[in-house]
């Protein structure tokens, strides 16, 4: 006994060391995504929507993919969209990309203070939106403008918000891209990360309490899953089996922080759902068909009162975090080229060409048409002003809408201000 | 002495503290490899290693809670919340835990942590990058709250905060990071290199917490200000042609009431200004203290100039910001009262 405990003392005396996860590579090194395990397209089974969550734990560690390298749609998750729907999806993604390009330039020209783009992630929000029904409600982050574009929200309105002009539906109050579009199933975007995730669950609980048929979709970035509100969302969704689809958009980065910092020792972000008994699926977020198919599956589960689903969309943030960011300071410049899941627009385009539903010429023509539309919308929006010139929201508006009825102290402040 | 921006001065303070005391650790979102979105911690990880300067998951409650645990162990964490607007998830840890640990454990455990947070507006950041919630901290027993207005003070105060035995809320006016800003947003930005307070001592030096300073001597009226508003007050005094004495409080709690009262008893007039919303703002506390201490000396009601009681807007930033015109009007009104 005595000898043993001496031994043990020696063992416990070895000093601890602090461990911090590091990304595979840093600037100046060669991009390396060999650690990202990518299953063959079509290889992941499609369970029935009323499956027992415990039977599909594997899906939290795999990646559901439909489009293969040849541009064919294969496997059990294929076949949910017809040619016209696919062409429409392509147009939505191309529109979002053109929209982003124009707004980035507008920001550089000083027409707005700030912008956030979607480059590389267009399929996620564009495809998901098409799986919802009118009346369903999204609780998005700042990187899901595809929900608006694919939901036929007018681009001019988006630009009016971005320019904070006299026609801004949010009256100049909000930072650019923090849209709100209730009629289009798009909850007011918060600047505070993760708060919307549990709110989505609350909206879904309300729908169930009210014996409604509508469902909610929550959205969150990989980095933001670390926030406590993410975990609050999961536990409420689990406890009340809320009719909600919980989306994690894993674009590998949270500003300068690689996804390993938020993921920690969990194999994947989707796996976070398992402990809560929530079915958790990982999907190729750059595969329009796969995102749509998985979204449909999860939406149907929610609609049939079978409870929540957690979806991890595996994608890559090609651009900077925002116009205030320069990623070359923290990741190799060519990292996005090495991303193994490719570009969502090119992949859908190749698929449409492969099935004879699209061509290079039609693509070029569509590109030009879309750019014309975006430029037309921008011209219209700019005629109502941009951040520093032309029509502005009134300073009077600043005091409106804090409460349903303006209390006397605010009325006094406004009077004194002379607005 | 070296010429520094406020960012460089803050970085220098952490560098000095980390060099002198290996218990000092620095962490927060994007703080490690990248060096912070405002670059305040740039180079610290390279110099002191990942165990002393590191990136955290995006969880403000976690950042502060972990800091409290480390302080209980015996380290001296100096953490960053990316914007003070994002501290709300950490508020429970700050208010219920950090602020009271010394008291509730009868000194068995203490909480020598610093929470650095960019504060204030002026960058078109909208309602989630512009707030000034200092009163939410000064209202809490057990916290100290510091707001520097220039690089020199920023360095001295931050080192003092890190060495302080109690939790310190360190609010960095982000509009001052790269140069003094007097509220004239339409004029060219001037860098700190041309400002005398951009001269920062090398190595270790402290500015004691709880000491205000007279930034501009005057006889006619006392202006109580801190952070960005110190510069606004100086500009307003010039423009109004009022011989105002501008006091830079530097530390809101503990407050240097002596410097404040001495000045007000001399000038017999007082204007209190801050960017934060008016109602229940720190200005209300200042007004109460000044009238308690100086009532029989006052020749005019004490006035406040503050942010309006609305969320911080985006497009109407300059209609909202309590700039030199509004402060000058208050100075003139006080003189005429
Ligand atoms: C509560 C809170 N903390 C910090 C921030 C600052 N911030 C804004 S975006 C961001 C990174 C988010 O990354 P991720 O969730 O992965 O979303 P992505 O930007 O990649 O879409 C951070 C830290 C914030 N907005 N809110
Ligand atoms: Mg991300």
């Amino acid at each position: 006994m005595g000898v043993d405990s001496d031994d043990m003392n020696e063992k416990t005396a070895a000093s601890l060391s602090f461990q911090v996860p590091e990304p595979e590579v840093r600037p100046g090194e060669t991009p390396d995504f060999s650690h990202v395990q990518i299953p063959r397209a079509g290889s992941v089974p499609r369970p029935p929507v009323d499956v027992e969550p415990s039977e599909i734990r594997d899906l939290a560690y795999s990646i559901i993919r439909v489009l293969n390298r040849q541009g064919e749609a294969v496997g059990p998750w294929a076949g949910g969209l017809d040619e016209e729907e696919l062409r429409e999806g392509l147009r939505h993604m191309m529109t979002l990309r053109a929209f982003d390009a124009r707004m980035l330039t507008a920001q550089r020209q000083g027409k707005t203070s700030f912008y956030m783009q979607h480059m590389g992630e267009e399929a996620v929000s564009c495809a998901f939106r098409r799986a919802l029904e009118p009346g369903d409600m999204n609780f998005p982050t700042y990187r899901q403008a595809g929900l608006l574009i694919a939901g036929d929200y007018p681009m001019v309105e988006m630009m009016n918000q971005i320019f904070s002009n006299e026609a801004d539906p949010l009256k100049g109050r909000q930072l650019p891209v923090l849209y709100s579009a209730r009629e289009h199933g798009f909850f007011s975007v918060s600047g505070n990360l993760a708060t919307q995730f549990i709110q989505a669950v609350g909206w879904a609980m309300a729908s169930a309490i009210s014996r409604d048929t509508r469902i909610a979709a929550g959205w969150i970035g990989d980095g933001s899953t670390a926030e406590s509100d993410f975990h609050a969302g999961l536990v409420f969704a689990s406890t009340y089996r809320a009719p909600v689809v919980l989306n994690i958009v894993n674009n590998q980065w949270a500003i300068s922080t690689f996804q390993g910092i938020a993921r920690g020792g969990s194999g994947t972000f989707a796996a976070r759902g398992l402990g809560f008994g929530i079915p958790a699926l990982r999907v190729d977020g750059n595969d329009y068909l796969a995102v749509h198919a998985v979204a449909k599956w999860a939406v149907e589960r929610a609609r049939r009162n079978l409870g929540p689903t957690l979806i991890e969309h595996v994608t890559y943030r090609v651009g900077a975090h925002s116009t205030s960011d320069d990623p070359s300071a923290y990741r190799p410049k060519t990292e996005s080229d090495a991303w193994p899941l490719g570009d969502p627009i090119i992949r859908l385009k190749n698929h449409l060409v492969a099935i004879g539903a699209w061509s290079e010429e039609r693509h070029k023509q569509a590109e030009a048409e879309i750019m014309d539309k975006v430029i037309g919308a921008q011209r219209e929006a700019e005629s109502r002003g941009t951040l520093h010139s032309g029509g502005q929201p009134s300073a009077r508006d600043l005091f409106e809408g804090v409460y349903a009825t303006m209390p006397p102290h605010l009325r006094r402040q406004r009077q004194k201000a002379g607005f | 002495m070296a010429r520094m921006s406020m960012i460089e001065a803050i970085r220098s303070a952490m560098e000095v503290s980390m060099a002198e005391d290996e218990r000092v650790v620095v962490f927060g979102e994007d703080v490690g490899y990248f060096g912070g979105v405002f670059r305040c911690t740039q180079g610290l990880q390279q110099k002191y290693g990942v165990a002393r300067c590191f990136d955290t998951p995006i969880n403000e409650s976690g950042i502060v809670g972990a800091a409290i645990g480390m302080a209980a162990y015996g380290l001296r964490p100096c953490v960053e919340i990316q914007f003070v607007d994002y501290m709300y998830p950490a508020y429970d840890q700050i208010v219920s835990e950090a602020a009271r640990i010394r008291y509730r454990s009868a000194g068995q455990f203490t909480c020598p942590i610093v929470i650095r947070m960019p504060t204030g507006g002026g960058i078109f950041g909208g309602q989630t990058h512009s707030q000034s919630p200092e009163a939410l901290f000064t209202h809490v027993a057990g916290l100290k709250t510091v707001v520097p207005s220039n690089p020199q003070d920023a360095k001295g105060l931050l080192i003092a905060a890190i060495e302080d035995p109690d939790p310190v809320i360190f609010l960095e006016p982000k509009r001052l990071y790269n140069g003094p800003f007097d509220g004239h947003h339409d004029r060219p930005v001037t860098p700190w290199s041309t400002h005398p307070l951009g001269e920062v001592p090398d190595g270790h030096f402290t500015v004691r917490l709880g000491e205000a300073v007279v930034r501009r001597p005057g006889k006619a009226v006392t202006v109580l200000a801190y952070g960005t508003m110190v510069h606004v007050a100086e500009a307003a005094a010039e423009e109004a042609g009022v011989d105002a004495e501008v006091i830079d409080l530097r530390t809101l709690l503990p407050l240097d009431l002596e410097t404040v009262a001495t000045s007000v008893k001399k000038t017999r007039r007082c204007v209190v200004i801050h960017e934060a919303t008016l109602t229940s703002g720190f200005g209300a506390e200042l007004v109460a203290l000044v009238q308690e201490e100086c009532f029989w000396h006052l020749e005019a009601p004490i006035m406040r100039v503050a942010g309006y009681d609305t969320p911080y807007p985006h497009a109407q930033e300059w209609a909202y910001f309590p700039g030199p015109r509004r402060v000058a009007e208050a100075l003139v009104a006080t003189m005429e009262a």
Side-chain angles (χ1 to χ4, degrees):
Chain A
M1 199 56 192
V3 176
D4 277 345
S5 66
D6 265 347
D7 262 347
M8 273 184 47
N9 274 343
E10 223 152 80
K11 264 184 211 143
T12 50
S15 66
L16 304 164
S17 68
F18 185 56
Q19 303 169 59
V20 183
E22 282 288 331
E24 303 292 320
V25 293
R26 286 297 193 186
E29 295 170 0
T30 310
D32 177 11
F33 285 112
S34 57
H35 59 285
V36 182
Q37 298 290 322
I38 299 175
R40 249 181 330 104
S43 65
V44 178
R46 183 182 190 281
V49 292
D50 58 357
V51 67
E52 270 302 310
S54 58
E55 285 171 27
I56 56 163
R57 294 172 68 91
D58 288 359
L59 296 194
Y61 297 97
S62 189
I63 301 180
I64 294 164
R65 306 177 64 229
V66 170
L67 292 174
N68 68 13
R69 270 179 211 287
Q70 288 71 46
E72 298 156 338
V74 295
W77 293 88
L81 292 163
D82 65 27
E83 286 183 10
E84 188 41 43
E85 288 168 327
L86 289 172
R87 278 192 296 262
E88 209 176 2
L90 182 64
R91 266 185 236 114
H92 290 148
M93 292 198 287
M94 291 167 73
T95 304
L96 181 53
R97 189 164 291 182
F99 185 96
D100 277 348
R102 294 292 302 185
M103 293 300 101
L104 282 173
T105 307
Q107 192 273 340
R108 276 196 288 273
Q109 294 167 336
K111 292 174 180 168
T112 181
S113 57
F114 178 80
Y115 192 71
M116 302 180 92
Q117 59 165 321
H118 305 74
M119 177 79 86
E121 301 177 43
E122 290 90 345
V124 175
S125 52
C126 287
F128 190 90
R129 179 63 184 81
R130 304 308 282 185
L132 293 175
E133 295 294 330
D136 294 340
M137 186 62 80
N138 287 285
F139 286 75
T141 81
Y142 44 72
R143 228 184 287 282
Q144 275 93 46
L147 295 172
L148 292 172
I149 300 263
D152 298 323
Y153 184 72
M155 275 191 281
V156 179
E157 294 290 309
M158 297 168 73
M159 291 172 176
N160 287 337
Q161 197 279 328
I162 291 164
F163 293 145
S164 283
N165 64 19
E166 64 183 11
D168 174 2
L170 307 184
K171 301 174 191 281
R173 293 174 188 158
Q174 268 288 49
L175 197 67
V177 314
L178 302 189
Y179 314 105
S180 179
R182 185 186 168 127
E183 296 309 314
H184 284 75
F186 192 95
F187 186 74
S188 158
V189 180
S190 175
N192 296 63
L193 297 172
T195 49
Q196 74 284 353
F197 209 67
I198 175 67
Q199 293 162 358
V201 177
W203 198 98
M205 288 162 61
S207 187
I209 290 169
S210 311
R211 302 187 152 278
D212 199 344
T213 59
R214 296 177 291 165
I215 64 150
W219 294 87
I220 200 164
D222 48 84
S224 307
T225 62
E227 290 282 11
S228 307
D229 281 345
F230 169 74
H231 300 84
L234 291 186
V235 71
F236 275 64
S238 166
T239 297
Y240 301 108
R241 295 172 58 99
V244 63
V245 182
L246 297 167
N247 295 284
I248 302 168
V249 182
N250 176 6
N251 63 5
Q252 312 301 317
W253 290 94
I255 309 186
S256 77
T257 304
F258 90 114
Q259 45 87 24
I261 293 284
R263 184 173 46 76
S266 179
T268 66
F269 287 95
R272 294 261 189 252
L274 299 182
F276 293 93
I278 296 176
L281 288 68
R282 283 180 101 216
V283 61
D284 177 345
N286 291 15
D287 179 339
Y288 185 93
L289 286 80
V291 172
H292 184 268
V294 170
K296 265 261 186 261
W297 189 90
V299 166
E300 193 188 332
R301 259 183 66 78
R303 193 101 55 206
R304 284 177 51 185
N305 214 31
L306 295 165
T309 305
L310 184 65
I311 303 174
E312 176 185 347
H313 303 262
V314 182
T315 181
Y316 184 84
R317 194 197 79 209
V318 174
H321 170 73
S322 72
T323 48
S324 313
D325 176 45
D326 173 13
S328 68
Y330 51 80
R331 67 184 191 189
K333 279 206 174 81
T334 55
E335 193 181 81
S336 69
D337 302 333
W339 176 244
L341 293 175
D343 178 87
I345 293 182
I346 295 174
R347 283 177 68 192
L348 181 52
K349 174 193 155 197
N350 289 348
H351 172 60
L352 280 164
V353 171
I355 61 172
W358 198 242
S359 67
E360 281 301 336
E361 298 79 71
R362 286 179 78 177
H363 194 77
K364 279 222 173 64
Q365 197 188 334
E367 228 161 25
E369 280 168 16
I370 285 167
M371 193 46 96
D372 274 356
K373 259 200 199 154
V374 175
I375 290 172
Q378 187 174 355
R379 204 167 293 134
E380 195 183 331
E382 287 189 11
S383 76
R384 308 299 300 276
T386 57
L387 183 59
H388 298 296
S389 73
Q392 311 274 315
S394 84
R396 238 183 116 71
D397 259 353
L398 197 160
F399 295 88
E400 303 282 350
V402 185
Y403 302 91
T405 312
M406 192 181 293
H409 75 283
L410 264 187
R411 203 171 291 284
R412 275 197 303 275
Q413 287 179 26
R414 185 172 72 180
Q415 231 156 35
K416 204 170 159 212
F419 299 136
Chain B
M1 289 291 227
R3 297 219 160 262
M4 291 186 195
S5 71
M6 198 138 146
I7 291 169
E8 291 162 337
I10 286 163
R11 187 187 303 145
S12 170
M14 286 185 272
E15 209 165 338
V16 166
S17 299
M18 292 175 91
E20 292 192 345
D21 184 350
E22 60 177 31
R23 297 172 305 171
V24 177
V25 290
V26 168
F27 54 96
E29 295 157 18
D30 302 295
V31 155
Y33 182 84
F34 184 53
V37 294
F38 289 105
R39 319 319 305 275
C40 287
T41 58
Q42 194 180 11
L44 297 181
Q45 181 176 84
Q46 246 170 323
K47 198 157 176 188
Y48 297 104
V50 287
R52 294 189 61 203
C53 177
F54 53 91
D55 290 317
T56 64
I58 302 172
N59 187 313
E60 292 74 15
S61 172
I63 292 168
V64 175
I68 294 170
M70 291 182 196
Y73 176 91
L75 297 189
R76 297 212 155 225
C78 174
V79 302
E80 176 179 303
I81 303 287
Q82 206 161 80
F83 287 82
V84 74
D85 317 63
Y86 303 140
M87 72 83 189
Y88 301 104
Y91 200 54
D92 190 31
Q93 288 287 349
I94 295 171
V95 175
S96 314
E97 304 301 316
R100 302 187 203 149
I101 279 168
R102 174 186 297 281
Y103 190 78
R104 79 181 194 214
S105 72
Q108 286 174 16
F109 294 97
T110 60
C111 192
I113 68 174
V114 177
I115 308 175
R116 292 181 38 246
M117 300 181 271
T119 190
I123 63 157
F124 275 100
Q127 55 190 263
T128 54
H129 305 90
S130 308
Q131 295 164 38
S132 297
E134 59 272 12
L136 298 184
F137 303 112
T138 57
H139 192 58
V140 177
L143 300 177
K144 294 182 179 178
T145 300
V146 177
V147 192
S149 71
N150 59 77
Q152 197 180 89
D153 281 353
K155 178 169 176 182
L157 288 166
L158 183 52
I159 295 178
I162 292 170
E163 291 173 358
D164 197 88
D166 286 309
V168 180
I169 304 295
F170 196 86
L171 299 170
E172 302 169 0
K174 67 181 85 68
R175 182 62 209 237
L176 299 182
Y177 270 149
N178 290 306
F181 175 66
D182 64 8
H184 285 293
H185 55 93
D186 41 2
R187 294 184 190 165
V189 178
T190 51
W192 278 113
S193 56
T194 61
H195 194 284
L197 293 169
E199 283 277 347
V200 180
D202 301 314
H204 184 276
F205 103 98
T206 58
V207 172
R208 270 216 294 275
L209 304 190
E211 284 184 9
V213 65
V214 175
R215 214 41 95 187
R216 178 192 196 278
K219 297 193 186 70
V221 49
T222 299
V223 184
L224 303 181
Y226 48 90
T228 307
M229 294 304 284
V230 171
H231 304 274
V232 174
E234 287 176 303
E238 293 306 320
E239 286 153 32
V242 172
D243 186 21
E245 179 145 292
V246 177
I247 295 184
D248 180 351
L249 296 176
R250 302 198 288 197
T251 303
L252 308 192
L253 201 141
L255 181 73
D256 182 355
L257 189 54
E258 200 183 313
T259 298
V260 170
T262 305
S263 174
V264 176
K265 283 176 186 166
K266 179 182 78 179
T267 64
R268 298 174 168 264
R269 289 182 158 82
C270 183
V271 173
V272 174
I273 63 176
H274 53 59
E275 271 187 79
T277 46
L278 179 77
T279 300
S280 301
F282 189 66
E285 180 63 30
L286 290 171
V287 172
L289 287 168
V290 169
Q291 82 83 26
E292 280 168 17
E293 292 291 309
C294 309
F295 184 79
W296 303 108
H297 298 265
L298 289 171
E299 283 178 21
I302 309 163
M303 290 185 76
R304 285 183 291 170
V305 181
Y308 299 121
D309 285 331
T310 75
Y312 203 108
H314 175 252
Q316 303 93 332
E317 170 139 57
W318 300 121
Y320 180 88
F321 187 88
R325 186 185 53 79
R326 278 172 63 198
V327 176
E329 279 170 14
L331 292 179
V332 170
T334 303
M335 293 314 297
E336 288 169 356

